[in-house]
Amino acid sequence: MSMTDPISDMLTRIRNAQMRRRQTVLVPKSKMKARIAAILQEEGYIDGIAEASCENGHPALELTLKYVRNKPVIEEIKRISKPGRRQYVSKTEIPQVYQGLGVAILSTSSGVISSREARKLGVGGELLCTVF
């Protein structure tokens, strides 16, 4: 059975693993999910990314989750643009997540980038998710 929203699945796996206080989580690999994971690592929300393979032999990403004083660093991770309702923003409409404490992840013509990078480049795009 095919998955209709793989990015939402990735975010849900991260959210569920943090609720169970897991150190790592396996996510099926794709270029977009690898780039989202790289942004989360650059922004300090996860510790590491490693290549792994699942039992069925398909490639996967192993994300090492980050905790401070036994609390997850990611307090909220939310999917914004969904397959049924896409959300696009211009360069002037890029949201400030929790007054700049969080980060939004956008899919732009320059690739998948963080909201800080999109403001620097002056580009808008599809608002994939927000992280705080």
Side-chain angles (χ1 to χ4, degrees):
M1 187 169 155
S2 66
M3 194 178 315
T4 58
D5 193 4
I7 296 170
S8 182
D9 177 66
M10 174 188 176
L11 302 179
T12 300
R13 285 176 189 236
I14 292 171
R15 199 177 306 116
N16 289 343
Q18 284 191 326
M19 281 193 290
R20 299 292 304 157
R21 300 288 193 259
R22 302 275 189 234
Q23 291 301 311
T24 62
V25 62
L26 281 177
V27 177
K29 185 179 178 187
S30 74
K31 288 180 186 178
M32 183 171 282
K33 288 189 258 184
R35 185 63 192 132
I36 291 171
I39 292 170
L40 290 175
Q41 186 176 19
E42 289 167 12
E43 296 289 333
Y45 290 107
I46 62 175
D47 271 337
I49 306 165
E51 299 261 340
S53 62
C54 294
E55 304 94 35
N56 54 9
H58 294 289
L61 295 171
E62 185 176 17
L63 307 178
T64 306
L65 302 175
K66 193 173 187 179
Y67 297 91
V68 175
R69 294 187 192 107
N70 204 25
K71 287 187 69 179
V73 172
I74 299 173
E75 289 186 24
E76 179 183 278
I77 188 165
K78 187 164 50 170
R79 180 82 156 115
I80 303 298
S81 183
K82 298 175 182 172
R85 184 178 169 95
R86 301 288 184 188
Q87 297 288 322
Y88 297 95
V89 293
S90 68
K91 64 182 181 182
T92 59
E93 297 171 333
I94 298 172
Q96 286 275 348
V97 181
Y98 286 96
Q99 298 174 347
L101 295 176
V103 67
I105 299 176
L106 290 91
S107 177
T108 67
S109 57
S110 303
V112 179
I113 57 177
S114 69
S115 56
R116 291 180 181 101
E117 188 69 24
R119 279 190 204 92
K120 245 188 268 183
L121 296 173
V123 294
E126 183 182 356
L127 185 60
L128 297 176
C129 64
T130 58
V131 184
F132 171 67

